[in-house]
Amino acid sequence: MSDQNQVTAAPAVSIHGVNKWYAAYHALKDIHLDIAQGERVVVCGPSGSGKSTMIRCINRLETYQEGSIRVCDMELTDDPSNIRSIRRRVGMVFQQFNLFPHLSILDNCTVAPVGTLKVPRRQAEEKAMHFLKSVHIPDHAHKYPHQLSGGQQQRAAIARALCMDPEIMLFDEPTSALDPEMISEVLDTMIELAENGMTMVCVTHEMNFARQVANRVIFMDEGLIKEEGTPQQFFDSPRHPRLRNFLNQILH
């Protein structure tokens, strides 16, 4: 019964025929990608391959000129109310944390639920503390971002996104701005999130994370999806010569 439900359920994200240009530069070239509910997809590729642009299109942080995107079975349009509805269902974690520097960590986590979702402040604070505990920084709730390490700030950013009860989480190179010793604490938090069944799309070069967490790994290059498969297929039997070269560079 569960297999049948998985097959018939609408994809969490459905990208069809998406093309994007920056002036004359063709950044995304006829992208087709369906992401199932509960699926964990890792997107990798060289700098400038279009991977961050693609996931930023999912919640309209980037616009595109051709094609269509459906998120949680809603078609993404130019209408501001449509975009707001979709963004409430899609959490995003960026490279640079993007925490409000003048707000405490607790207030960073509650400002959107209180202001956008009209959640009562006490309820929002209880939920924020729940997620700050889940990312192992409850003792830092009343500190300000500059008082936290980079890894702690990124975990706070994850908690902030979770406070909106998203159905999908997008991660845009969440560890690229961190010192090496801080990377593992953020990846551990993401692994726990994955184990709880969250639909995740993650742009990252952390290949051990891809092996451990992903259901599917996608390789992008020159604005194209050039290869995808299970982690075992992707790492052990890469077909495209461009992917083989990329893995040789990144794994050695």
Side-chain angles (χ1 to χ4, degrees), residues 25 45-51 173 205 220-222 242 246:
Y25 178 65
S47 178
S49 61
K51 54 193 187 296
E173 301 197 38
H205 288 145
M220 292 188 69
D221 186 39
E222 299 178 326
R242 200 58 194 88
F246 175 78

Side-chain angles (χ1 to χ4, degrees), residues 3 16 30 41 91 109-110 136 146 244:
D3 291 342
H16 284 287
D30 198 32
V41 174
C109 290
T110 59
H136 310 296
H146 74 272
R244 290 197 293 270

Side-chain angles (χ1 to χ4, degrees), residues 1 3 27 33 44-45 62 75 93 100 114 123 159 165 168 179 182 184 186 191 194 209 217 227 245 247:
M1 184 69 179
D3 291 342
L33 178 65
C44 62
E62 294 280 359
E75 182 155 5
V93 177
F100 295 115
V114 171
Q123 182 181 334
D165 291 325
I168 301 164
D179 294 332
M182 297 178 185
S184 63
V186 173
I191 289 167
F209 174 79
V217 189
E227 188 160 339
N245 182 58
L247 292 175

Side-chain angles (χ1 to χ4, degrees), residues 125-143:
E125 289 181 350
E126 288 174 356
K127 177 177 283 189
M129 288 307 302
H130 167 76
F131 285 120
L132 289 172
K133 288 176 184 174
S134 75
V135 300
H136 310 296
I137 54 169
D139 294 343
H140 300 307
H142 298 290
K143 294 181 180 178

